[in-house]
Amino acid sequence: MSDFRVYKSSFDIPGAAAATMSDPSLASTMDATNLSVGGAESDDVSVHPSSLSDFYIGLGLAVSSSLFIGTSFIIKKKALIKLASTDCTTRASEGGYGYLREWLWWMGVITMGLGEACNFAAYAFAPASLVTPLGALSVLVTAVLSSRMLKERLNLLGKIGCAVCLLGSTVIVIHSPKEEEVSSMAELALKMKDAGFILYVIAILIVTLFIVVYVAPRYGRSNIIVYISVCSLIGSFSVISVKGLGLAIKETLNGNQQFTNILTYFWLACVVACVSVQLVYLNKALDIYNTSMVTPIYYVFFTTFVMIASSILFKEWSSLGASDIIGNVIGFLTTIIGIFQMQLFRDVNISLRQLRVLIHKPSSSLTQLEDQREGFENRRLKRKRKRTCESMEDSAEEHDEETRLLKFR
């Protein structure tokens, strides 16, 4: 078989036949080369080892980012509570900026900055469709810490919701794309010219301006979705910008200078502008509403828009099969179910001890139900007998009256 490959390659490449006949060592070298190429072609290697290592680096950075960001929500909330107890006129919900003079708030900002730095680096190594959904871990961190530090409720169903979130995140990691679809700034510049992406940018800008100018002043204090929607819509741009800036830095470190490229500074300006808008409206949402409500809703909206934007621009799902796409969607939906389970049932007074009672004593509940049914039947029979007796008494009185009238006549 090896001789056949050598002779076949000799006919395929001009002048190779004569070389192989005159130099047997060259023939053996070509034979080894053909074997290695044939083996590489026959093996179904879907992920390059370097790409796989980048994937795990991005995964670790994404998890670290969630820990920092989840903690930052708690620190900033404590700062806003402290500010509200001293001077209500400087609250963020009233349009004030008193939190800028609070050192605890700045500690939360620094913690969030560390998380965003890890997040920034994660986008440079792993696909956005992996990094962004893993932000659900920040919801778990916020829920656990808020129950400890802010005395917010986390009951048994909330803990089960945390476990469901972890399950959904694991499914996303397993089925997410392991390789980048955009590996250079030149490829990114070409993808930015895509008509679908341009239409998406225009639509998002129009909707955001409408919410900021018209909806937020009227309904921002009564509807939690208003401020969060602004953060999420602009957040989809911030992730794309971070992805582009991270790609520029990564390419520069590899020897291809990108800080002479105007596109790098465009992404940098977008990151600064988008993060500034997100901070303002996120502070307004945190100042008015409960942290355990803001965090999960923000995650759902933010992740949804980021996945839409990255699929339009980077086309990260184009290399996935149908099973992986379904797995990503199911993992994301599972995470959403876990998040909302933590919130919808947070006021339900249920604990593990009460659950054990319900499991081990089902007959008592049934007995109470039977007693209630028997009591209802007894009361119904008593009412029926009473009505019967009253009707009989009425009949007797009518008979006596008729008898007296006959006697009188």
Side-chain angles (χ1 to χ4, degrees), residues 172-248:
I172 291 173
V173 171
I174 293 172
H175 292 282
S176 64
K178 304 299 187 293
E179 290 183 301
E180 297 280 8
E181 293 296 325
V182 179
S183 58
S184 67
M185 292 289 284
E187 294 179 7
L188 182 57
L190 289 175
K191 289 185 178 294
M192 287 175 62
K193 299 177 183 178
D194 185 71
F197 177 68
I198 294 173
L199 290 175
Y200 174 80
V201 172
I202 294 173
I204 293 298
L205 289 177
I206 292 174
V207 173
T208 303
L209 287 173
F210 175 74
I211 294 174
V212 170
V213 174
Y214 180 79
V215 179
R218 292 169 174 81
Y219 307 105
R221 299 183 62 85
S222 59
N223 194 327
I224 190 174
I225 296 177
V226 174
Y227 291 142
I228 291 178
S229 62
V230 175
C231 296
S232 304
L233 291 168
I234 298 299
S236 64
F237 288 154
S238 68
V239 168
I240 292 174
S241 304
V242 166
K243 183 79 171 176
L245 189 59
L247 187 61

Side-chain angles (χ1 to χ4, degrees), residues 283-294:
N283 279 326
K284 291 184 177 182
L286 284 172
D287 194 27
I288 298 173
Y289 304 104
N290 195 307
T291 308
S292 59
M293 292 179 63
V294 172

Side-chain angles (χ1 to χ4, degrees), residues 359-402:
I359 292 174
H360 291 94
K361 295 183 178 180
S363 58
S364 60
S365 300
L366 294 175
T367 302
Q368 293 176 359
L369 182 61
E370 291 295 330
D371 292 340
Q372 291 175 358
R373 289 179 179 176
E374 290 179 1
F376 177 76
E377 290 293 332
N378 292 332
R379 289 192 296 271
R380 189 176 65 83
L381 290 173
K382 287 180 181 179
R383 288 195 297 269
K384 186 176 180 180
R385 290 170 184 169
K386 185 178 180 180
R387 286 195 298 269
T388 303
C389 292
E390 290 176 352
S391 61
M392 291 175 65
E393 290 175 357
D394 292 339
S395 300
E397 290 177 356
E398 291 177 358
H399 183 267
D400 293 340
E401 184 67 23
E402 290 177 356

